[in-house]
Amino acid sequence: MNLFCVGLSHHNADVEAREYFAGHVESDRALRNCGCNEALVLSTCNRVEVYAASEKRVSTDEIARCLVRDDGPRRFAPAFYRYEGEKCAQHLFRVTSGLDSMVVGETEILGQAKKAYEAARATGAAGRYLHRLFQRAFRVAKQVRTHTEITRGAVSVGSVAVDLAHKIFGDLQNCKVLVLGAGETSERTIRALVSRGVADLRVSNRSPERGEALALAVNGRAIVFEQWLEQCGEIDILITSTSSEVPLLWQEKLAPMLRERIDRPLFIIDIAVPRDVAPDVNALDGVYLYDIDSLQSIAEQSLATRRAQVAAAEQIISQHVAEFDEMITRGLNCPVQSSEHPTVGIVEQGS
Amino acid sequence: MRGGIFRPMRFNFFAVGLGFIFQTAFLSIRGHALGHCPITNLFEVIVFVAWSIALFYMLVGPGYRLSLMGAFTAPLVVLLQLFALLAPIDKPHPVRLRANSWLEFHASISLVAYGAFALACIAGVMYLVQERQLKTHHLHSIFYHLPPLTDLFAAITRLLWWGFALYTLGLISGFFVGEPLPWIQITCAIGVWFLYGLILQGRYLHWFAPKRVAALCIVGFSAALTLLWGITFTAQTHTP
């Protein structure tokens, strides 16, 4: 039995090509008709891959044809990659561990692979070979996450800000957030905070219309720009991104607001350039000031840490590849009964 | 934080819990052999304090989802136990002590209070480490394994209250012991009580920022430890 993987990913195909070969409802029948005993399509925003087991060799072109939605002339001729046997296992283990992802160590792909496998198992498209392969892949991913720091730290400015907020306040549900300036980055940061449960959002902008529009968009309330400073006694997180040429907040201005809230920290995220908050504010007790450079530096540090863990992760993967290859050679060397898992299936993921 | 986000680790809790069971068994056997609470020499006192630390860790850790405090608590407990086992301090008390329930209550409740103070000190160290990294923007590996600042501060406050209440009880019961105690011991014990009272007062009246409260927890526990060593030392050298 041949175990193989044919696919396209962000490494070798643009989004248009990936969309074109993303598969369709008839792909399962097409894959079965072209000779796959077992097949699973992993279709995400960054990759389209077919994992299959077949008695006879099925060419890459045949697999690619099964993934195309229309019968019209082929608009793309991308270079599909193809991995067979242990290389196929190695590739899947790297994918589920996040080593092949656009952002090294991201964990979303593991969930997507699990969903794809569950759906294929439910339809009977995944048989003994794919079962062993994917179960092993999930184990490898778990081991890589546990034994290396491949998933450590946030790698974008917004997620770094949110994670720092979590490290200061723990549960973010009761945090009060004031956003000063209705820029694009501040909106992204707010959305990231909302995704972690922040409900009390206040937006203040020089132009009231833009402020109100953002407040409406994030389900917050608009604050008159002249009154934003008064909010500093109440809020937990301040996000500033105005286009002011001079700082809007400095130590002497903020210190009186902190007297009544000495045991509650204040997290200030200054993503404006030039900066809205003078650096000396960070010296105040209980105030944690991060500007765009410091957030970016943490994101880069996390990415560097993740990349440094790749070698350790590869080592874990190679051990499992060897074990899996041995298991396939010894225990699964008999052909799969065609009646056992006769169908193939396709699962499309949203991202 | 993604993968590095603080998550309580059950392993720490169960590891400390297992150690706690063995400590309880040891103290129980020793207590039966002595015929009273096993706090007659420095060895027993250290084991008792380590037991109290484990007890408070298990009481406070799950309540505040601070199981990761185990990463700091477990090494301290192990160090105390190792010191107790390796140092030649397990010397039997020179005279057989008379049973005195007030004295036993005073000593044991005070040592349990020490457990709370020790854990507050550990939480204080964790708070200061976390706070410094957040201030300087230099996030080291340990940062990703520490609980959130506000959770740590809530735990410190709770531990200070427990420790202070128990210590007060221990101090009051000391006046009913019925045996003369050295005045220096009494003065120092009251001094430690005042210090912790001041920390709590300062915390609620907003005299001290959380960072200062965390630092004072370390100062307070150092003072309490010095007092404990003094008491044990005088008890062993000035036995009638």
Side-chain angles (χ1 to χ4, degrees):
Chain A
M1 184 72 79
N2 300 307
L3 191 61
F4 64 95
C5 161
V6 168
L8 287 174
S9 74
H10 59 96
H11 292 300
N12 66 339
D14 60 18
V15 66
E16 219 177 333
R18 298 201 300 273
E19 273 171 7
Y20 185 67
F21 290 100
H24 55 97
V25 285
E26 290 298 312
S27 293
D28 55 346
R29 195 190 304 165
L31 285 164
R32 189 177 59 209
N33 289 344
C34 73
C36 296
N37 297 68
E38 299 176 29
L40 181 156
V41 182
L42 178 63
S43 180
T44 75
C45 57
N46 283 330
R47 67 186 65 248
V48 182
E49 289 176 341
V50 175
Y51 290 89
S54 66
E55 280 173 44
K56 70 174 182 72
R57 186 185 157 82
V58 183
S59 75
T60 302
D61 269 354
E62 281 177 288
I63 297 287
R65 268 198 295 277
C66 298
L67 297 173
V68 181
R69 286 176 199 275
D70 54 60
D71 296 326
R74 281 185 61 170
R75 290 183 282 145
F76 300 94
F80 276 85
Y81 47 76
R82 183 184 179 106
Y83 300 107
E84 308 236 2
E86 66 178 85
K87 291 280 179 200
C88 167
Q90 186 189 33
H91 178 70
L92 180 64
F93 296 171
R94 293 187 82 254
V95 167
T96 52
S97 303
L99 298 192
D100 200 56
S101 298
M102 201 177 263
V103 177
V104 175
E106 64 96 5
T107 52
E108 207 182 344
I109 185 65
L110 180 60
Q112 291 168 328
K114 278 183 178 172
K115 274 188 186 169
Y117 167 71
E118 283 303 325
R121 206 177 62 145
T123 60
R128 286 195 304 166
Y129 283 86
L130 291 186
H131 174 73
R132 295 280 172 96
L133 178 66
F134 275 80
Q135 287 303 325
R136 174 69 72 147
F138 302 147
R139 258 177 64 197
V140 174
K142 191 177 173 191
Q143 200 176 332
V144 166
R145 278 165 73 171
T146 313
H147 296 281
T148 71
E149 293 188 322
I150 198 84
T151 59
R152 206 192 79 178
V155 289
S156 71
V157 167
S159 50
V160 168
V162 172
D163 287 352
L164 286 171
H166 178 83
K167 290 298 281 183
I168 296 169
F169 300 104
D171 190 356
L172 298 183
Q173 273 181 350
N174 297 320
C175 282
K176 299 181 180 79
V177 180
L178 172 65
V179 183
L180 204 56
E184 208 176 293
T185 321
S186 54
E187 188 177 340
R188 275 206 300 272
T189 312
I190 300 167
R191 291 199 186 281
L193 284 166
V194 169
S195 74
R196 293 280 188 96
V198 171
D200 190 335
L201 287 161
R202 302 150 194 213
V203 182
S204 188
N205 195 52
R206 265 186 222 280
S207 140
E209 297 79 29
R210 281 192 67 189
E212 277 164 23
L214 179 60
L216 195 68
V218 296
N219 210 15
R221 63 186 163 102
I223 303 284
V224 179
F225 191 74
E226 287 69 33
Q227 291 172 3
W228 72 265
L229 188 62
E230 294 161 26
Q231 301 285 319
C232 288
E234 277 183 43
I235 55 162
D236 301 296
I237 301 171
L238 171 66
I239 303 169
T240 67
S241 68
T242 75
S243 50
S244 171
E245 291 295 318
V246 290
L248 298 173
L249 193 61
W250 53 92
Q251 205 180 79
E252 290 76 21
K253 203 173 174 182
L254 182 63
M257 318 292 296
L258 301 176
R259 277 187 202 125
E260 290 307 309
R261 47 165 306 153
I262 192 169
D263 54 353
R264 275 172 47 221
L266 176 63
F267 179 33
I268 303 177
I269 305 160
D270 182 3
I271 39 187
V273 180
R275 288 176 290 182
D276 284 337
V277 184
D280 63 357
V281 162
N282 195 45
L284 290 167
D285 268 342
V287 177
Y288 305 98
L289 169 65
Y290 282 76
D291 60 28
I292 190 77
D293 277 0
S294 45
L295 293 172
Q296 254 161 8
S297 148
I298 292 169
E300 280 161 20
Q301 198 185 320
S302 300
L303 204 56
T305 306
R306 288 182 179 201
R307 287 192 184 124
Q309 297 295 309
V310 168
E314 295 280 15
Q315 208 173 349
I316 293 171
I317 288 171
S318 59
Q319 283 169 5
H320 279 275
V321 169
E323 282 174 27
F324 181 77
D325 190 45
E326 198 185 323
M327 183 179 77
I328 289 289
T329 316
R330 272 190 309 160
L332 280 173
N333 216 6
C334 53
V336 177
Q337 296 298 312
S338 57
S339 59
E340 201 174 343
H341 298 291
T343 58
V344 288
I346 181 161
V347 178
E348 283 194 50
Q349 302 297 322
S351 55
Chain B
M1 314 203 126
R2 314 230 183 279
I5 275 185
F6 162 70
R7 286 187 186 93
M9 293 171 93
R10 284 185 192 165
F11 175 77
N12 285 332
F13 186 79
F14 287 114
V16 177
L18 194 66
F20 178 75
I21 292 168
F22 285 116
Q23 283 174 321
T24 310
F26 168 77
L27 288 171
S28 170
I29 293 165
R30 189 87 168 199
H32 277 293
L34 290 169
H36 49 76
C37 192
I39 40 177
T40 58
N41 61 19
L42 190 58
F43 166 78
E44 288 165 4
V45 164
I46 289 174
V47 175
F48 200 90
V49 168
W51 176 83
S52 305
I53 293 170
L55 173 74
F56 273 100
Y57 163 72
M58 288 192 299
L59 287 177
V60 175
Y64 280 95
R65 296 181 294 123
L66 296 179
S67 304
L68 269 174
M69 274 184 79
F72 282 64
T73 309
L76 179 70
V77 171
V78 169
L79 276 177
L80 285 172
Q81 294 279 150
L82 271 178
F83 176 73
L85 282 171
L86 299 176
I89 52 172
D90 189 15
K91 293 170 185 159
H93 204 276
V95 289
R96 185 161 178 85
L97 296 168
R98 280 175 290 130
N100 181 336
S101 52
W102 275 110
L103 182 63
E104 280 185 39
F105 179 76
H106 158 73
S108 57
I109 208 80
S110 301
L111 287 179
V112 174
Y114 269 71
F117 290 148
L119 215 53
C121 172
I122 291 171
V125 171
M126 290 166 82
Y127 187 98
L128 292 176
V129 169
Q130 171 103 308
E131 212 269 348
R132 175 148 184 79
Q133 297 201 14
L134 277 166
K135 273 280 186 201
T136 58
H137 304 170
H138 293 126
L139 312 182
H140 301 291
S141 184
I142 193 167
F143 177 83
Y144 298 98
H145 300 287
L146 289 170
L149 276 187
T150 43
D151 286 0
L152 274 173
F153 190 59
I156 288 172
T157 307
R158 178 182 269 200
L159 286 162
L160 281 176
W161 272 119
W162 271 104
F164 187 70
L166 292 168
Y167 194 77
T168 307
L169 210 60
L171 205 62
I172 293 168
S173 61
F175 291 104
F176 297 93
V177 165
E179 288 175 22
L181 292 169
W183 67 268
I184 184 82
Q185 265 185 32
I186 299 169
T187 312
C188 289
I190 293 173
V192 168
W193 183 82
F194 263 111
L195 179 58
Y196 275 104
L198 181 77
I199 299 171
L200 278 168
Q201 176 98 342
R203 184 250 178 274
Y204 283 100
L205 293 181
H206 293 175
W207 294 345
F208 309 132
K211 189 171 99 175
R212 210 137 299 166
V213 173
L216 282 169
C217 283
I218 301 167
V219 174
F221 187 59
S222 308
L225 270 187
T226 312
L227 171 68
L228 180 66
W229 176 80
I231 290 170
T232 321
F233 183 73
T234 40
Q236 284 192 331
T237 52
H238 298 281
T239 309

